[in-house]
Coordinates of all heavy atoms in Angstrom, one line a residue:
M1232 N 8.1 -121.1 35.8 CA 8.2 -120.2 34.7 C 9.7 -120.0 34.4 O 10.6 -119.9 35.3 CB 7.6 -118.9 35.1 CG 7.6 -117.9 34.0 SD 6.6 -116.4 34.5 CE 6.5 -115.6 33.0
R1233 N 10.0 -119.9 33.1 CA 11.4 -119.8 32.7 C 11.9 -118.3 32.9 O 11.2 -117.4 32.7 CB 11.5 -120.1 31.2 CG 12.8 -120.4 30.7 CD 12.7 -120.8 29.2 NE 13.7 -119.9 28.6 CZ 13.7 -119.7 27.3 NH1 12.9 -120.2 26.5 NH2 14.6 -118.8 26.8
E1234 N 13.2 -118.2 33.4 CA 13.7 -116.9 33.6 C 14.1 -116.3 32.3 O 14.5 -117.0 31.3 CB 15.0 -117.0 34.5 CG 14.7 -117.4 35.9 CD 16.0 -117.3 36.8 OE1 16.8 -116.4 36.5 OE2 16.0 -118.0 37.7
P1235 N 14.0 -114.9 32.2 CA 14.4 -114.3 30.9 C 15.9 -114.4 30.7 O 16.7 -114.5 31.6 CB 14.0 -112.8 31.2 CG 13.8 -112.7 32.6 CD 13.5 -114.0 33.2
D1236 N 16.3 -114.4 29.4 CA 17.6 -114.6 29.0 C 18.4 -113.2 29.3 O 17.9 -112.2 28.9 CB 17.7 -114.9 27.5 CG 18.9 -115.6 27.1 OD1 19.8 -115.9 27.9 OD2 19.1 -115.8 25.9
R1237 N 19.5 -113.3 29.9 CA 20.3 -112.1 30.2 C 21.1 -111.7 29.0 O 21.4 -112.6 28.1 CB 21.3 -112.4 31.3 CG 20.7 -112.5 32.7 CD 21.7 -112.7 33.7 NE 23.1 -112.6 33.3 CZ 24.2 -112.5 34.1 NH1 24.0 -112.6 35.4 NH2 25.4 -112.3 33.6
I1238 N 21.4 -110.4 28.9 CA 22.3 -109.9 27.8 C 23.6 -109.7 28.4 O 23.7 -109.0 29.5 CB 21.7 -108.6 27.2 CG1 20.3 -108.9 26.6 CG2 22.7 -108.1 26.1 CD1 20.2 -109.8 25.5
V1239 N 24.7 -110.2 27.9 CA 26.0 -110.0 28.4 C 26.9 -109.2 27.4 O 26.7 -109.3 26.2 CB 26.7 -111.4 28.7 CG1 26.0 -112.1 29.9 CG2 26.8 -112.3 27.5
R1240 N 27.8 -108.4 27.9 CA 28.6 -107.5 27.1 C 29.9 -108.2 26.7 O 30.2 -109.3 27.2 CB 28.9 -106.3 27.9 CG 27.7 -105.5 28.3 CD 26.9 -104.9 27.1 NE 27.6 -104.0 26.3 CZ 27.6 -102.6 26.5 NH1 26.8 -102.1 27.4 NH2 28.3 -101.9 25.7
L1241 N 30.6 -107.6 25.8 CA 31.8 -108.2 25.2 C 32.9 -108.6 26.3 O 33.4 -109.7 26.1 CB 32.5 -107.2 24.2 CG 33.8 -107.7 23.6 CD1 33.5 -108.9 22.7 CD2 34.4 -106.5 22.7
K1242 N 33.1 -107.8 27.3 CA 34.0 -108.2 28.3 C 33.7 -109.5 29.0 O 34.6 -110.4 29.2 CB 34.0 -107.1 29.4 CG 35.2 -107.1 30.3 CD 35.1 -105.9 31.2 CE 36.4 -105.6 31.9 NZ 36.4 -104.4 32.8
T1243 N 32.4 -109.8 29.2 CA 32.0 -111.0 29.8 C 32.2 -112.2 28.8 O 32.6 -113.3 29.2 CB 30.5 -110.9 30.2 OG1 30.4 -109.8 31.1 CG2 30.0 -112.2 30.9
V1244 N 31.8 -111.9 27.5 CA 32.0 -113.0 26.5 C 33.4 -113.4 26.4 O 33.8 -114.6 26.3 CB 31.4 -112.5 25.2 CG1 31.7 -113.5 24.1 CG2 29.9 -112.2 25.3
V1245 N 34.3 -112.4 26.4 CA 35.8 -112.7 26.3 C 36.2 -113.5 27.5 O 36.9 -114.5 27.3 CB 36.6 -111.4 26.2 CG1 38.1 -111.6 26.4 CG2 36.3 -110.7 24.8
A1246 N 35.8 -113.1 28.7 CA 36.2 -113.9 29.9 C 35.6 -115.3 29.9 O 36.3 -116.2 30.3 CB 35.7 -113.1 31.1
R1247 N 34.4 -115.5 29.4 CA 33.7 -116.8 29.5 C 34.3 -117.7 28.4 O 34.4 -118.9 28.6 CB 32.2 -116.7 29.3 CG 31.5 -115.8 30.3 CD 30.8 -116.6 31.5 NE 30.3 -117.9 31.2 CZ 29.0 -118.2 30.8 NH1 28.2 -117.2 30.6 NH2 28.6 -119.4 30.6
T1248 N 34.6 -117.2 27.2 CA 35.0 -118.1 26.1 C 36.5 -118.2 26.0 O 37.0 -119.2 25.5 CB 34.5 -117.5 24.8 OG1 35.1 -116.2 24.6 CG2 33.0 -117.4 24.7
G1249 N 37.3 -117.3 26.5 CA 38.7 -117.3 26.4 C 39.2 -116.9 25.0 O 40.4 -117.0 24.7
L1250 N 38.3 -116.3 24.2 CA 38.6 -115.9 22.9 C 39.0 -114.4 22.9 O 38.4 -113.7 23.8 CB 37.5 -116.0 21.9 CG 37.0 -117.5 21.7 CD1 35.7 -117.5 20.8 CD2 38.1 -118.3 21.0
S1251 N 39.8 -113.9 22.0 CA 40.0 -112.5 21.9 C 38.9 -111.8 21.2 O 38.1 -112.4 20.5 CB 41.3 -112.2 21.2 OG 41.2 -112.5 19.8
R1252 N 38.9 -110.4 21.4 CA 37.8 -109.6 20.7 C 37.9 -109.9 19.2 O 36.8 -110.1 18.6 CB 38.1 -108.2 21.0 CG 37.1 -107.2 20.4 CD 37.6 -105.8 20.7 NE 36.7 -104.8 20.1 CZ 36.9 -104.4 18.8 NH1 37.8 -104.9 18.1 NH2 36.0 -103.5 18.3
S1253 N 39.1 -109.8 18.6 CA 39.2 -110.0 17.1 C 38.7 -111.4 16.7 O 38.1 -111.5 15.6 CB 40.6 -109.7 16.7 OG 41.5 -110.5 17.3
T1254 N 39.0 -112.4 17.5 CA 38.6 -113.8 17.1 C 37.1 -113.9 17.2 O 36.5 -114.5 16.3 CB 39.3 -114.8 18.1 OG1 40.7 -114.7 17.9 CG2 38.8 -116.2 17.7
I1255 N 36.5 -113.3 18.2 CA 35.0 -113.3 18.3 C 34.4 -112.7 17.1 O 33.5 -113.3 16.5 CB 34.6 -112.6 19.6 CG1 34.9 -113.4 20.8 CG2 33.1 -112.3 19.6 CD1 34.7 -112.7 22.2
Y1256 N 34.8 -111.5 16.7 CA 34.2 -110.9 15.5 C 34.5 -111.6 14.2 O 33.7 -111.7 13.3 CB 34.6 -109.4 15.4 CG 33.9 -108.6 16.5 CD1 34.6 -108.0 17.6 CD2 32.5 -108.4 16.4 CE1 34.0 -107.3 18.5 CE2 31.9 -107.7 17.4 CZ 32.6 -107.1 18.5 OH 31.9 -106.4 19.4
R1257 N 35.7 -112.2 14.1 CA 36.0 -113.0 12.9 C 35.1 -114.2 12.9 O 34.5 -114.6 11.8 CB 37.5 -113.5 13.0 CG 37.8 -114.4 11.8 CD 39.3 -114.8 11.8 NE 39.8 -115.3 13.1 CZ 39.6 -116.6 13.5 NH1 38.9 -117.4 12.7 NH2 40.0 -117.0 14.6
K1258 N 34.9 -114.9 14.0 CA 34.0 -116.1 14.0 C 32.5 -115.7 13.7 O 31.8 -116.4 13.1 CB 34.1 -116.8 15.4 CG 35.4 -117.6 15.5 CD 35.4 -118.3 16.9 CE 36.4 -119.4 16.9 NZ 36.2 -120.4 15.9
I1259 N 32.1 -114.5 14.2 CA 30.7 -114.0 13.9 C 30.6 -113.9 12.4 O 29.6 -114.3 11.8 CB 30.5 -112.7 14.6 CG1 30.3 -112.9 16.1 CG2 29.2 -112.0 14.0 CD1 30.2 -111.6 16.9
G1260 N 31.6 -113.3 11.7 CA 31.6 -113.2 10.3 C 31.6 -114.5 9.5 O 31.0 -114.6 8.5
E1261 N 32.2 -115.5 10.1 CA 32.2 -116.9 9.5 C 31.0 -117.6 9.8 O 30.7 -118.6 9.2 CB 33.4 -117.7 10.1 CG 34.8 -117.1 9.7 CD 35.9 -117.8 10.5 OE1 35.6 -118.6 11.5 OE2 37.1 -117.6 10.2
G1262 N 30.2 -117.1 10.8 CA 28.9 -117.8 11.1 C 29.1 -118.9 12.1 O 28.3 -119.8 12.3
T1263 N 30.3 -118.9 12.8 CA 30.6 -120.0 13.8 C 30.6 -119.5 15.2 O 31.0 -120.2 16.1 CB 32.0 -120.6 13.5 OG1 33.0 -119.6 13.6 CG2 32.0 -121.3 12.1
F1264 N 30.0 -118.3 15.5 CA 29.8 -117.8 16.8 C 28.6 -116.9 16.8 O 28.2 -116.3 15.8 CB 31.1 -116.9 17.2 CG 31.2 -116.6 18.6 CD1 31.7 -117.5 19.5 CD2 30.7 -115.3 19.1 CE1 31.8 -117.1 20.9 CE2 30.8 -115.0 20.5 CZ 31.3 -115.9 21.3
P1265 N 27.9 -116.9 18.0 CA 26.6 -116.1 18.0 C 26.9 -114.6 17.7 O 27.8 -114.0 18.2 CB 26.2 -116.3 19.5 CG 26.9 -117.5 20.0 CD 28.2 -117.6 19.2
A1266 N 26.0 -114.1 16.9 CA 26.0 -112.6 16.6 C 25.5 -111.8 17.8 O 24.7 -112.3 18.5 CB 25.2 -112.4 15.3
Q1267 N 26.0 -110.6 17.9 CA 25.6 -109.7 18.9 C 24.3 -109.1 18.6 O 23.9 -109.0 17.4 CB 26.7 -108.7 19.2 CG 26.9 -107.7 18.1 CD 27.9 -108.1 17.1 OE1 28.0 -109.2 16.7 NE2 28.6 -107.1 16.5
L1268 N 23.6 -108.6 19.6 CA 22.3 -107.9 19.5 C 22.6 -106.4 19.7 O 23.3 -106.1 20.7 CB 21.3 -108.4 20.5 CG 21.0 -109.8 20.6 CD1 20.3 -110.2 21.8 CD2 20.3 -110.2 19.3
R1269 N 21.9 -105.5 19.0 CA 22.0 -104.1 19.3 C 21.1 -103.8 20.5 O 20.0 -104.1 20.5 CB 21.6 -103.3 18.0 CG 21.6 -101.9 18.1 CD 22.9 -101.2 18.1 NE 23.8 -101.6 17.1 CZ 25.1 -101.5 17.1 NH1 25.7 -101.0 18.2 NH2 25.8 -101.9 16.1
I1270 N 21.7 -103.2 21.5 CA 20.9 -102.9 22.7 C 20.8 -101.4 23.0 O 20.0 -101.0 23.8 CB 21.5 -103.6 24.0 CG1 23.0 -103.2 24.2 CG2 21.4 -105.1 23.9 CD1 23.6 -103.8 25.5
S1271 N 21.5 -100.6 22.2 CA 21.4 -99.2 22.2 C 22.1 -98.6 21.0 O 22.6 -99.4 20.2 CB 22.0 -98.6 23.5 OG 23.4 -98.7 23.5
V1272 N 22.1 -97.3 20.9 CA 22.7 -96.7 19.7 C 24.2 -97.1 19.6 O 24.7 -97.5 18.5 CB 22.6 -95.2 19.8 CG1 23.3 -94.5 18.6 CG2 21.1 -94.8 19.7
N1273 N 24.9 -97.1 20.7 CA 26.3 -97.5 20.7 C 26.6 -98.7 21.5 O 27.8 -99.0 21.8 CB 27.1 -96.3 21.3 CG 27.0 -95.1 20.5 OD1 27.2 -95.1 19.3 ND2 26.8 -93.9 21.1
G1274 N 25.7 -99.5 21.8 CA 25.9 -100.7 22.6 C 25.4 -102.0 22.0 O 24.4 -102.0 21.3
A1275 N 26.1 -103.1 22.3 CA 25.7 -104.4 21.8 C 26.0 -105.4 22.8 O 26.8 -105.2 23.7 CB 26.4 -104.7 20.5
G1276 N 25.3 -106.5 22.8 CA 25.5 -107.6 23.7 C 25.1 -108.9 23.1 O 24.6 -109.0 22.0
W1277 N 25.3 -110.0 23.8 CA 25.0 -111.3 23.4 C 24.0 -111.9 24.3 O 24.0 -111.7 25.5 CB 26.2 -112.2 23.4 CG 27.1 -111.9 22.2 CD1 27.2 -112.6 21.1 CD2 28.1 -110.9 22.1 NE1 28.2 -112.1 20.3 CE2 28.7 -111.0 20.9 CE3 28.5 -109.8 23.0 CZ2 29.7 -110.1 20.5 CZ3 29.5 -108.9 22.5 CH2 30.1 -109.1 21.3
R1278 N 23.1 -112.8 23.8 CA 22.2 -113.6 24.7 C 23.1 -114.6 25.4 O 23.9 -115.3 24.8 CB 21.2 -114.4 23.9 CG 20.1 -113.5 23.3 CD 19.0 -114.4 22.7 NE 18.0 -113.6 22.1 CZ 18.0 -113.2 20.8 NH1 18.9 -113.6 20.0 NH2 17.0 -112.4 20.4
E1279 N 22.9 -114.7 26.7 CA 23.7 -115.6 27.6 C 23.5 -117.0 27.1 O 24.4 -117.8 27.1 CB 23.4 -115.4 29.0 CG 24.3 -116.1 29.9 CD 24.1 -115.8 31.4 OE1 23.0 -115.5 31.8 OE2 25.1 -115.8 32.1
S1280 N 22.3 -117.3 26.8 CA 22.0 -118.7 26.4 C 22.7 -119.1 25.1 O 23.2 -120.2 24.9 CB 20.5 -118.9 26.1 OG 20.0 -118.1 25.1
D1281 N 22.9 -118.2 24.1 CA 23.7 -118.4 22.9 C 25.2 -118.7 23.3 O 25.8 -119.6 22.7 CB 23.6 -117.3 21.9 CG 22.3 -117.2 21.2 OD1 21.5 -118.2 21.3 OD2 22.0 -116.2 20.6
I1282 N 25.7 -117.9 24.2 CA 27.1 -118.1 24.6 C 27.3 -119.4 25.3 O 28.2 -120.1 25.0 CB 27.6 -116.9 25.5 CG1 27.5 -115.6 24.7 CG2 29.0 -117.1 26.0 CD1 28.2 -115.5 23.4
N1283 N 26.3 -119.8 26.2 CA 26.4 -121.0 26.9 C 26.3 -122.2 25.9 O 27.0 -123.2 26.1 CB 25.3 -121.2 27.9 CG 25.5 -120.2 29.1 OD1 26.6 -119.7 29.3 ND2 24.4 -119.9 29.8
R1284 N 25.5 -122.1 24.9 CA 25.4 -123.2 23.9 C 26.7 -123.3 23.1 O 27.2 -124.4 22.8 CB 24.2 -122.9 22.9 CG 22.9 -123.3 23.4 CD 21.8 -123.3 22.3 NE 21.8 -122.2 21.4 CZ 22.1 -122.2 20.1 NH1 22.3 -123.4 19.5 NH2 22.1 -121.2 19.3
W1285 N 27.3 -122.2 22.8 CA 28.6 -122.2 22.1 C 29.7 -122.8 22.9 O 30.4 -123.6 22.5 CB 29.0 -120.8 21.6 CG 30.2 -120.8 20.8 CD1 30.2 -120.9 19.4 CD2 31.6 -120.7 21.2 NE1 31.6 -120.9 19.0 CE2 32.4 -120.8 20.1 CE3 32.2 -120.6 22.5 CZ2 33.8 -120.8 20.1 CZ3 33.6 -120.6 22.5 CH2 34.3 -120.7 21.4
I1286 N 29.7 -122.4 24.2 CA 30.7 -123.0 25.1 C 30.6 -124.5 25.3 O 31.5 -125.3 25.3 CB 30.7 -122.3 26.5 CG1 31.2 -120.9 26.4 CG2 31.4 -123.1 27.5 CD1 30.9 -120.0 27.6
A1287 N 29.3 -125.0 25.3 CA 29.0 -126.4 25.5 C 29.5 -127.2 24.3 O 30.0 -128.3 24.4 CB 27.5 -126.6 25.7
D1288 N 29.5 -126.7 23.1 CA 29.9 -127.4 21.9 C 30.2 -126.4 20.7 O 29.4 -126.2 19.8 CB 28.8 -128.4 21.4 CG 29.3 -129.4 20.4 OD1 30.5 -129.3 20.0 OD2 28.5 -130.2 20.0
P1289 N 31.4 -125.8 20.8 CA 31.8 -124.8 19.8 C 31.8 -125.3 18.3 O 31.5 -124.6 17.4 CB 33.2 -124.3 20.2 CG 33.5 -125.1 21.4 CD 32.5 -126.0 21.8
A1290 N 32.2 -126.6 18.1 CA 32.3 -127.1 16.8 C 31.0 -127.3 16.1 O 30.9 -127.2 14.9 CB 33.1 -128.4 16.8
A1291 N 30.0 -127.6 16.9 CA 28.6 -127.9 16.3 C 27.7 -126.7 16.4 O 26.6 -126.8 16.0 CB 28.0 -129.0 17.1
W1292 N 28.2 -125.5 16.9 CA 27.3 -124.4 17.1 C 26.8 -123.8 15.8 O 27.6 -123.6 14.9 CB 27.9 -123.3 17.9 CG 26.9 -122.2 18.2 CD1 26.1 -122.1 19.3 CD2 26.6 -121.1 17.4 NE1 25.3 -121.0 19.2 CE2 25.6 -120.4 18.1 CE3 27.1 -120.6 16.2 CZ2 25.0 -119.2 17.6 CZ3 26.5 -119.4 15.7 CH2 25.5 -118.8 16.4
R1293 N 25.5 -123.6 15.6 CA 24.9 -123.0 14.5 C 23.8 -122.1 15.0 O 23.2 -122.5 16.0 CB 24.4 -124.0 13.5 CG 25.4 -124.7 12.8 CD 26.3 -123.8 11.8 NE 27.4 -124.5 11.2 CZ 28.6 -124.4 11.6 NH1 29.0 -123.6 12.5 NH2 29.6 -125.0 10.9
P1294 N 23.5 -121.0 14.4 CA 22.5 -120.1 14.9 C 21.1 -120.8 14.8 O 20.9 -121.6 13.9 CB 22.5 -118.9 14.0 CG 23.3 -119.3 12.8 CD 24.2 -120.4 13.2
T1295 N 20.3 -120.5 15.8 CA 18.9 -121.0 15.8 C 18.0 -119.9 15.2 O 18.1 -118.8 15.7 CB 18.4 -121.3 17.2 OG1 18.5 -120.2 18.0 CG2 19.1 -122.5 17.8
C1296 N 17.3 -120.2 14.1 CA 16.5 -119.2 13.4 C 15.1 -119.3 13.9 O 14.3 -119.9 13.3 CB 16.6 -119.4 11.9 SG 18.2 -119.0 11.3
L1297 N 14.8 -118.5 15.0 CA 13.5 -118.5 15.6 C 12.8 -117.2 15.4 O 11.7 -117.0 15.8 CB 13.5 -118.8 17.1 CG 14.1 -120.2 17.4 CD1 14.2 -120.3 18.9 CD2 13.3 -121.3 16.9
S1298 N 13.5 -116.3 14.7 CA 12.9 -114.9 14.6 C 13.2 -114.3 13.2 O 14.1 -114.9 12.5 CB 13.4 -114.0 15.7 OG 14.8 -113.8 15.5
V1299 N 12.6 -113.2 12.9 CA 12.9 -112.5 11.7 C 14.3 -112.0 11.7 O 15.0 -111.9 10.7 CB 11.9 -111.4 11.5 CG1 12.2 -110.5 10.3 CG2 10.5 -111.9 11.4
A1300 N 14.8 -111.6 12.9 CA 16.2 -111.1 13.0 C 17.2 -112.1 12.5 O 18.2 -111.7 11.9 CB 16.5 -110.8 14.4
C1301 N 17.0 -113.4 12.7 CA 17.9 -114.4 12.2 C 17.9 -114.4 10.6 O 19.0 -114.5 10.1 CB 17.5 -115.8 12.7 SG 18.8 -117.0 12.3
T1302 N 16.8 -114.2 10.0 CA 16.7 -114.2 8.6 C 17.5 -112.9 8.1 O 18.2 -113.0 7.1 CB 15.3 -114.1 8.1 OG1 14.6 -115.2 8.6 CG2 15.2 -114.1 6.6
A1303 N 17.3 -111.8 8.7 CA 18.0 -110.6 8.4 C 19.5 -110.7 8.5 O 20.3 -110.2 7.7 CB 17.5 -109.4 9.2
M1304 N 19.9 -111.4 9.6 CA 21.3 -111.6 9.8 C 22.0 -112.5 8.8 O 23.2 -112.4 8.6 CB 21.6 -112.2 11.3 CG 21.2 -111.2 12.4 SD 22.0 -109.6 12.3 CE 23.7 -110.2 12.7
S1305 N 21.2 -113.4 8.2 CA 21.8 -114.3 7.2 C 21.9 -113.7 5.8 O 22.5 -114.3 4.9 CB 21.0 -115.6 7.2 OG 19.7 -115.4 6.7
A1306 N 21.4 -112.5 5.7 CA 21.5 -111.8 4.4 C 22.9 -111.5 4.1 O 23.7 -111.2 4.9 CB 20.7 -110.6 4.4
P1307 N 23.3 -111.6 2.8 CA 24.7 -111.3 2.4 C 25.1 -109.9 2.9 O 24.4 -108.9 2.6 CB 24.7 -111.4 0.9 CG 23.6 -112.2 0.6 CD 22.5 -112.0 1.6
G1308 N 26.3 -109.8 3.6 CA 26.8 -108.5 4.0 C 26.1 -107.9 5.2 O 26.4 -106.8 5.6
A1309 N 25.2 -108.7 5.9 CA 24.5 -108.2 7.0 C 25.4 -107.9 8.2 O 25.0 -106.9 9.0 CB 23.4 -109.2 7.5
N1310 N 26.4 -108.6 8.4 CA 27.3 -108.4 9.6 C 28.5 -107.5 9.2 O 29.4 -107.4 10.0 CB 27.8 -109.7 10.2 CG 26.6 -110.4 10.9 OD1 25.7 -109.8 11.3 ND2 26.7 -111.7 11.0
R1311 N 28.6 -107.0 8.1 CA 29.7 -106.2 7.7 C 29.6 -104.7 8.0 O 28.5 -104.2 8.0 CB 29.9 -106.3 6.2 CG 29.9 -107.8 5.7 CD 31.3 -108.2 5.2 NE 31.3 -109.6 5.2 CZ 31.1 -110.4 4.1 NH1 30.8 -109.8 3.0 NH2 31.2 -111.7 4.2
K1312 N 30.7 -104.1 8.4 CA 30.7 -102.7 8.7 C 31.2 -101.9 7.6 O 32.0 -102.3 6.8 CB 31.5 -102.4 10.0 CG 30.9 -103.0 11.2 CD 31.6 -102.6 12.4 CE 30.9 -103.1 13.6 NZ 31.5 -102.7 14.9

């Protein structure tokens, strides 16, 4: 049986990728880095599998649209604050 995907926080993503916080959020806006998931009112994290896929091949990374959330994230202005 497959293990569940872990959720990792920003500090871990920065350490694993070597990118700065601002670069991560810029790349999310460009669509070239996995978007974070809302895990609480004030918290967000990333699927570890998405981060691992990005690390394996950053130039070819594109989101996998397997859920309704992906469709919502691709709407214009969806990732803007």
